[in-house]
Amino acid sequence: MKVTVVVPTLNEEKGISKVVSDFRRLGFEVLVVDGNSRDRTREIAEKSGAKVILQSGKGKGNAISDAFRILDSDAIVLVDGDGSYPAEEVHKLLEPLEKGIADHVVGNRFSNYEKGAFTRLNFFGNKILNLFFRFAYGVDLHDILSGYRAIRREVYKSIEIEKSGFEVEVELTVETLAKGFRIVEVPISYRRREGETKLRPLRDGFRIGRAIYGMLRRYSPARYIYLLGALFVFLGLITGSYVVYAWFKGITHILLAILTTMFILMGVQFFVFGLITHLLFRTAMELKREINELRRKI
Ligand SMILES: Nc1nc2c(ncn2[C@@H]2O[C@H](COP(=O)(O)OP(=O)(O)O)[C@@H](O)[C@H]2O)c(=O)[nH]1
Ligand SMILES: [Mg+2]
């Protein structure tokens, strides 16, 4: 299996040399996709044995999208240029691909991370976004934002990346699922990064959350609608409890009671729409799976 290691970089002169030389030593071809770093990243990467290109547009998403377009290896390994993911553990990511039991493997950072590798905000942000992801998608993944992944050609060639920034990890995960490919997580270790992070936790965390919900439409339109329904029922339960509480105290809130009824009815309606969507979508999804299965067999 021919594997190319892809490293998106933006001002990673402190970490890039070790990342590239470690993977080179293990015998991999390394492609650094640089986002116009203003430090010596490109020079150092080249000296350490990587092929270096400049990305088109801006953001990590665009850099990865370029790599997917240019490359044609059997598999791509994505890794940060900051030294936070150990090269020696790459076989853990490649093994499920080689065995043919997965099409996309994600390195889960949460079982073995160095102290300080996550900032506190980063850690809780990750936990919350993963929790939200599991709730919304009903798929048991625990580190969807990991930057260490291995992806088979069939998958990366079929993914159309639309997100330009840090939402790209969500997009890779959701596209894989939506296309009916198999994604698995394996535990890897995670170290403190070299240099400064490029992620702005609040802004990017918010964008990632929005992307998780927005892309649910592509994976399961039914769940997208159910979630809306759940939101309305939830609102109705809050206003409704208040109405009942006040009623016991002898105060009647007529307007709020009407609003409550509307919330609940809207919610129930969304559930019915969701059910119809579910029936339509399931058939389409089953066909897609069958086709993928057949393709693999041919
Ligand atoms: N090409 C490119 N790489 C980027 C850009 N932004 C971040 N990166 C790289 O993407 C990787 C992940 O970013 P990082 O700051 O480590 O985010 P974190 O791991 O989530 O804290 C690093 O290697 C960054 O240098 C960008 O705009 N363009
Ligand atoms: Mg990083």
Side-chain angles (χ1 to χ4, degrees):
M1 200 165 74
K2 188 186 171 207
V3 178
T4 304
V5 175
V6 172
V7 194
T9 56
L10 180 61
N11 303 326
E12 299 289 1
E13 65 180 5
K14 287 196 182 135
I16 191 63
S17 155
K18 182 167 162 44
V19 174
V20 173
S21 44
D22 282 358
F23 279 105
R24 292 294 294 150
R25 205 170 312 121
L26 293 170
F28 292 98
E29 174 185 278
V30 179
L31 175 69
V32 166
V33 190
D34 187 64
N36 286 294
S37 295
R38 281 185 301 267
D39 62 5
R40 294 174 56 229
T41 302
R42 290 191 294 278
E43 187 193 325
I44 297 173
E46 236 155 36
K47 250 188 223 147
S48 317
K51 181 171 186 255
V52 179
I53 58 168
L54 273 180
Q55 74 166 94
S56 59
K58 268 194 154 131
K60 186 181 179 185
N62 279 320
I64 291 177
S65 168
D66 286 350
F68 284 2
R69 199 161 355 97
I70 296 164
L71 293 174
D72 198 38
S73 313
D74 300 310
I76 282 180
V77 168
L78 287 176
V79 69
D80 285 6
D82 56 13
S84 49
Y85 300 101
E88 318 84 74
E89 296 186 11
V90 70
H91 64 273
K92 294 187 185 168
L93 297 179
L94 293 174
E95 207 177 83
L97 297 190
E98 276 157 356
K99 281 189 182 154
I101 54 177
D103 306 305
H104 181 163
V105 184
V106 181
N108 182 335
R109 299 169 286 178
F110 285 101
S111 55
N112 182 20
Y113 53 90
E114 190 185 21
K115 195 161 173 271
F118 290 102
T119 63
R120 197 172 298 173
L121 183 61
N122 225 304
F123 186 84
F124 287 108
N126 262 283
K127 286 286 181 196
I128 288 169
L129 289 167
N130 277 289
L131 194 72
F132 177 50
F133 175 85
R134 285 196 298 279
F135 175 71
Y137 287 70
V139 175
D140 196 33
L141 291 175
H142 293 258
D143 193 10
I144 57 162
L145 302 175
S146 170
Y148 204 12
R149 317 167 163 257
I151 309 176
R152 247 161 41 87
R153 184 203 283 116
E154 223 185 317
V155 182
Y156 74 75
K157 281 299 182 191
S158 75
I159 293 179
E160 300 274 341
I161 294 179
E162 285 168 9
K163 303 285 179 203
S164 56
F166 284 104
E167 309 95 313
V168 64
E169 269 95 19
V170 178
E171 194 166 28
L172 294 177
T173 305
V174 174
E175 278 278 308
T176 301
L177 291 167
K179 298 222 153 88
F181 290 113
R182 299 157 304 171
I183 189 166
V184 298
E185 279 181 345
V186 295
I188 47 121
S189 24
Y190 188 51
R191 294 191 292 238
R192 208 181 298 198
R193 95 193 298 297
E194 299 287 341
E196 301 279 293
T197 181
K198 309 301 168 318
L199 185 104
R200 287 154 67 178
L202 288 182
R203 190 193 63 163
D204 289 319
F206 181 72
R207 282 194 187 164
I208 290 167
R210 212 171 43 187
I212 292 176
Y213 182 60
M215 273 184 263
L216 184 54
R217 224 172 356 190
R218 226 181 301 171
Y219 172 66
S220 164
R223 280 178 163 271
Y224 183 82
I225 301 173
Y226 285 145
L227 230 59
L228 261 183
L231 179 71
F232 275 101
V233 169
F234 180 68
L235 287 176
L237 286 179
I238 292 178
T239 54
S241 331
Y242 179 70
V243 168
V244 172
Y245 169 80
W247 185 76
F248 275 118
K249 293 198 140 189
I251 308 164
T252 311
H253 288 291
I254 295 183
L255 282 180
L256 204 56
I258 294 173
L259 192 70
T260 300
T261 317
M262 275 165 56
F263 277 152
I264 303 262
L265 284 181
M266 287 266 271
V268 171
Q269 260 193 329
F270 274 121
F271 277 113
V272 178
F273 295 150
L275 195 65
I276 297 167
T277 313
H278 172 77
L279 294 176
L280 289 173
F281 195 72
R282 204 174 67 179
T283 326
M285 201 55 197
E286 271 164 9
L287 277 174
K288 229 184 258 178
R289 275 223 188 88
E290 288 290 321
I291 291 169
N292 278 342
E293 199 63 41
L294 278 173
R295 258 203 214 130
R296 257 197 296 279
K297 278 183 190 150
I298 295 170

